[in-house]
Amino acid sequence: MRYLISVNISNAERNDIIMKKLQNSSLQKNNKLFTVMCVVILSIVSVSLPFKAAESNCKNNLQNFEGEIQLYISPDGNDNAEGSEDSPLATLEGVKNAVRRYLSADKKELPDGITVNFKEGVYKQQQTFCLSEEDSGSAECPIIYRACEGAEVIIDGGVKLDTEKFSPASGDILSRFSEDAVSNIKAYNLVSDGVDYSEIIHRGTHSALLPDCRLYVNNERAWLGRYPNNQKYESGYKFFSEFNDKDYDGYTFIDDSGKVKTWSEESIDDARIYGNFQIDWMASSGKILNYEPETERITFSVDKYDANQNGRYFMYNVPEEIDSPFEYYIDDNGMLYIYLPSGYETADINFAQCTGNIIEADVNYYTFEGLTFENSVDGLFQMNGNNNTVSGCIFRCCGGNAVCLNGNDVIFDSNDIYSVGKTALYVDGGEITHLIPSDNEITNNRIHDYAELNRVYSAGIDIKSQSVGITVSHNEIY
């Protein structure tokens, strides 16, 4: 049950509370009463504004820090610019270099803080952006990356497909599409757009090969043509029928749906099987080794471990099974075939390209506020360090763990995480040998549609077993 408590407090006051907590972390550890009061105040403020990106103001916020530096970045900027509001920088690398110039100055001349203001737009980041110890802030000079007031800022690890470039599917492949779906299937040449469509070997729990589903439509995962279809609120699996591993050379079952009989030999060769072949808490993957049309018996391999009669599965990467909106198939020449319903011209269709985390930060005293991170083959955001804050951000559309946090005095507040292949949020902190608490706070976040690819041992919030002193409250997970 979530309790919403309204209090009359301004955003400036809220920012002051967070900044004071960062600057006085050592004092809080020696004053238990102050710590309790601070946590209560933060919780109340967070819950009063559920799931909305924290407001920020490019010109006025935090100006009470005498000597604070304000930098600006825009997709239309230039990394040779001075970084002012009228002459902004263009890339994250440009921002990092500008911040380093201030941090490398004489320690006596450090600014009272550096704020990087992101103007509205999409910032392409198809390679991992790294921050290291050299980029760290301090209690005297915290670093803030935040969106300007009212600006939608997206750090994008993918390629947006131009809906005007889709055309009706043609050629020999038409014979492999179902009659009911063929009129809705469109083609798109990924090669001509420079999209890297090569298969990524992405393994999950128990070394199972995960479906390589990197296409997102309106921020939801699209699936390689599969049977049964992906069902959000119903089972998208079938149980083995007439399973037999004794009278045949390998694991076998009967395709009682009659689906495989309609597939071409090429489709049978390319098809993959994924599910829980042995027990429900163990992920499994494999391939079709042989199909007997007369008996409809399938012989299949298992990449690791075993299979038994209670196993469940789905088959994917099959063009004949493209029969529902946004299912797709990519041929060996980089041609994308996708089921597009009427009105698709306004859809936002993206293909993930960044093969690592979009952000990897090993820093202290950093704040990320009001930013969106999306479209990664693997994870989105990894931060190691102390006295860091992530607030009012959106993390979506990735194949791995969305957010990983490791450190002490970390605040993760009022963020959204969704369309995630594995765990949504992984948190570590504290020191178990001497029971030193991390004082990390995970509050007022909304997390949904995670574990889409790796279906076992993937959590909404995963707290490392050796962690100490992490507060998790007022989060909605579904």
Side-chain angles (χ1 to χ4, degrees):
M1 180 178 296
R2 298 178 69 231
Y3 296 91
L4 301 183
I5 305 173
S6 297
V7 295
N8 186 18
I9 186 167
S10 69
N11 292 314
E13 291 173 319
R14 180 179 185 273
N15 284 336
D16 286 341
I17 292 170
I18 293 175
M19 294 308 300
K20 287 176 182 177
K21 183 179 189 300
L22 292 175
Q23 294 175 331
N24 299 304
S25 59
S26 60
L27 174 62
Q28 293 173 30
K29 288 183 178 180
N30 296 321
N31 190 329
K32 295 182 180 179
L33 178 59
F34 180 82
T35 301
V36 172
M37 292 175 65
C38 185
V39 171
V40 171
I41 292 172
L42 282 170
S43 298
I44 292 175
V45 173
S46 299
V47 175
S48 67
L49 296 171
F51 315 135
K52 292 181 65 177
E55 295 182 13
S56 56
N57 187 307
C58 287
K59 297 181 180 179
N60 299 322
N61 267 6
L62 303 179
Q63 287 297 318
N64 56 303
F65 287 97
E66 183 178 354
E68 183 190 5
I69 300 300
Q70 295 280 348
L71 294 173
Y72 291 82
I73 177 173
S74 167
D76 300 322
N78 187 323
D79 281 346
N80 293 320
E82 62 183 13
S84 65
E85 185 171 13
D86 296 327
S87 183
L89 301 164
T91 68
L92 294 177
E93 287 293 334
V95 164
K96 179 170 70 173
N97 293 333
V99 170
R100 282 184 176 181
R101 284 194 290 271
Y102 289 108
L103 294 178
S104 61
D106 189 302
K107 295 298 182 182
K108 295 180 180 179
E109 299 179 2
L110 277 176
D112 293 340
I114 302 174
T115 296
V116 179
N117 301 284
F118 284 73
K119 294 191 174 185
E120 180 152 345
V122 177
Y123 298 80
K124 291 296 183 180
Q125 194 64 44
Q126 295 181 9
Q127 303 293 327
T128 298
F129 174 66
C130 297
L131 294 168
S132 64
E133 184 178 355
E134 182 181 359
D135 305 298
S136 277
S138 63
E140 296 76 22
C141 180
I143 313 296
I144 301 173
Y145 282 38
R146 70 178 177 195
C148 290
E149 182 177 7
E152 182 180 11
V153 176
I154 297 175
I155 315 298
D156 185 5
V159 172
K160 183 173 182 176
L161 304 189
D162 184 351
T163 55
E164 293 185 357
K165 293 184 179 180
F166 284 100
S167 60
S170 60
D172 294 340
I173 197 170
L174 288 178
S175 63
R176 298 170 67 184
F177 299 136
S178 71
E179 293 182 4
D180 294 336
V182 68
S183 62
N184 288 100
I185 297 178
K186 309 297 181 184
Y188 193 104
N189 192 328
L190 297 175
V191 176
S192 65
D193 270 13
V195 178
D196 182 3
Y197 65 92
S198 55
E199 182 182 8
I200 301 294
I201 303 301
H202 199 190
R203 296 194 178 274
T205 308
H206 308 116
S207 300
L209 181 66
L210 301 179
D212 186 21
C213 296
R214 285 178 275 163
L215 191 67
Y216 298 90
V217 181
N218 297 330
N219 301 318
E220 293 188 6
R221 189 181 310 279
W223 279 87
L224 289 160
R226 58 174 278 179
Y227 176 79
N229 289 337
N230 181 51
Q231 303 287 336
K232 269 195 174 184
Y233 306 109
E234 299 178 18
S235 175
Y237 294 82
K238 279 185 65 65
F239 287 93
F240 291 135
S241 176
E242 299 185 39
F243 179 88
N244 191 324
D245 61 349
K246 295 181 174 61
D247 302 325
Y248 298 87
D249 185 17
Y251 303 104
T252 73
F253 66 95
I254 296 294
D255 173 33
D256 57 4
S257 69
K259 287 281 188 176
V260 179
K261 185 181 288 187
T262 67
W263 299 354
S264 68
E265 290 186 6
E266 184 178 356
S267 294
I268 293 174
D269 289 341
D270 290 343
R272 295 286 310 185
I273 308 177
Y274 181 82
N276 310 94
F277 301 165
Q278 186 176 19
I279 45 181
D280 278 350
W281 50 263
M282 183 178 291
S284 311
S285 59
K287 281 186 65 67
I288 296 176
L289 300 177
N290 185 55
Y291 175 68
E292 300 174 357
E294 299 80 9
T295 63
E296 298 191 84
R297 183 168 291 278
I298 293 173
T299 302
F300 68 102
S301 66
V302 179
D303 291 337
K304 195 172 183 180
Y305 302 112
D306 296 317
N308 63 40
Q309 61 184 358
N310 298 314
R312 56 180 180 168
Y313 69 96
F314 64 82
M315 296 180 281
Y316 67 96
N317 197 39
V318 182
E320 286 87 346
E321 294 306 318
I322 300 178
D323 56 7
S324 64
F326 309 122
E327 284 192 314
Y328 70 98
Y329 174 77
I330 302 174
D331 71 14
D332 293 338
N333 298 314
M335 188 65 72
L336 166 69
Y337 298 96
I338 182 170
Y339 186 117
L340 293 176
S342 60
Y344 74 86
E345 295 84 357
T346 61
D348 187 24
I349 305 176
N350 292 277
F351 201 98
Q353 294 288 274
C354 184
T355 56
N357 292 300
I358 292 179
I359 303 291
E360 290 188 0
D362 295 327
V363 293
N364 303 316
Y365 291 94
Y366 259 69
T367 293
F368 290 85
E369 180 181 313
L371 308 176
T372 295
F373 304 88
E374 66 180 23
N375 299 323
S376 172
V377 176
D378 196 359
L380 292 169
F381 188 92
Q382 179 174 307
M383 176 177 275
N384 303 314
N386 304 322
N387 301 97
N388 294 318
T389 297
V390 181
S391 177
C393 293
I394 297 174
F395 304 90
R396 64 191 180 197
C397 305
C398 70
N401 299 325
V403 180
C404 296
L405 304 174
N406 181 15
N408 300 321
D409 293 292
V410 174
I411 297 172
F412 191 81
D413 176 69
S414 299
N415 303 287
D416 280 83
I417 308 177
Y418 58 94
S419 295
V420 175
K422 295 182 178 178
T423 289
L425 174 61
Y426 174 87
V427 187
D428 187 12
E431 198 273 301
I432 194 169
T433 302
H434 301 94
L435 294 180
I436 300 173
S438 68
D439 290 335
N440 293 343
E441 298 173 9
I442 312 300
T443 57
N444 202 41
N445 302 288
R446 179 167 59 185
I447 299 170
H448 60 96
D449 294 293
Y450 57 93
E452 291 181 323
L453 301 177
N454 192 55
R455 299 291 295 159
V456 298
Y457 294 101
S458 293
I461 300 177
D462 185 350
I463 306 297
K464 185 179 178 181
S465 60
Q466 301 296 305
S467 297
V468 180
I470 297 177
T471 298
V472 179
S473 69
H474 298 90
N475 298 287
E476 184 175 9
I477 306 173
Y478 58 94

